[in-house]
Amino acid sequence: MQLRPMTAIYLTRGDKILLLYRIGSRVVGNSYTGSAGGHIEPEEYRDPRACMLRELQEETGLTKEALDGLALRYITMRSKNGEVRQNYYYFAALKDGFDVHNSTEGRLEWHDLSALDALPMPVTARHVVDHYLAVGRFDDKLYGGITTEEGSVFTEMNEF
């Protein structure tokens, strides 16, 4: 099996979340994902945050100065198409005075947190967003998750 490590960032502003509708992606198909993200380059292998910040700047024009409370919140794994897909999901609030207008990867749109159920998302991203809405947005914990056909199981990752 091959490993496919990827990152994504979800940006919030009040009761809204910024999502990217990706069109024609070879990995996630036509669906909503984090506002930016992509594959970890070889030089970023030990630093998924660097990948996420690179993708954020490439896909939205934003830099870390536009973010408040940036944190790695979820690390997930899934077996698909002969690969282990490992995802690092970051969340942050977009600071006042910053906004996004266009993306090179699809259509950026703000969505109400209460209206995400009907949006098409990759299966693991859907589980992360659902867990974040129910649990994760109320704490600052890091969760690990394994995705199977039955769903995703998230466990708080404590240092020991």
Side-chain angles (χ1 to χ4, degrees):
M1 281 200 151
Q2 296 289 311
L3 177 64
R4 184 184 293 263
M6 298 175 281
T7 65
I9 182 165
Y10 288 88
L11 299 177
T12 61
R13 180 172 272 162
D15 62 349
K16 296 192 179 290
I17 190 166
L18 184 67
L19 298 176
L20 176 66
Y21 185 74
R22 289 190 182 269
I23 302 165
S25 168
R26 67 187 193 288
V27 176
V28 298
N30 296 349
S31 61
Y32 285 94
T33 63
S35 61
H39 297 91
I40 294 175
E41 299 294 336
E43 66 275 8
E44 298 166 332
Y45 189 75
R46 293 179 54 100
D47 190 1
R49 185 176 186 269
C51 172
M52 177 274 304
L53 289 172
R54 175 183 53 78
E55 293 283 355
L56 180 69
Q57 210 259 324
E58 289 175 4
E59 296 179 9
T60 69
L62 295 170
T63 62
K64 65 182 176 182
E65 289 74 30
L67 308 178
D68 190 31
L70 174 62
L72 174 62
R73 298 298 312 282
Y74 294 87
I75 301 171
T76 63
M77 295 180 75
R78 176 185 183 199
S79 178
K80 181 167 174 74
N81 297 335
E83 300 175 328
V84 173
R85 295 189 177 178
Q86 187 176 25
N87 289 277
Y88 297 84
Y89 293 95
Y90 291 81
F91 283 77
L94 187 59
K95 290 180 181 176
D96 289 338
F98 291 92
D99 209 350
V100 294
H101 303 285
N102 296 309
S103 175
T104 59
E105 299 288 326
R107 191 174 66 242
L108 287 165
E109 301 171 346
W110 287 100
H111 294 271
D112 288 330
L113 291 174
S114 62
L116 301 178
D117 289 347
L119 298 179
M121 292 182 186
V123 65
T124 302
R126 163 62 62 201
H127 297 163
V128 165
V129 167
D130 288 349
H131 187 273
Y132 176 78
L133 292 174
V135 178
R137 70 180 166 151
F138 303 110
D139 64 36
D140 61 356
K141 298 174 181 167
L142 174 62
Y143 293 95
I146 301 293
T147 300
T148 67
E149 293 142 354
E150 289 81 37
S152 292
V153 176
F154 293 102
T155 302
E156 184 181 337
M157 294 179 69
N158 294 314
E159 193 167 321
F160 61 93

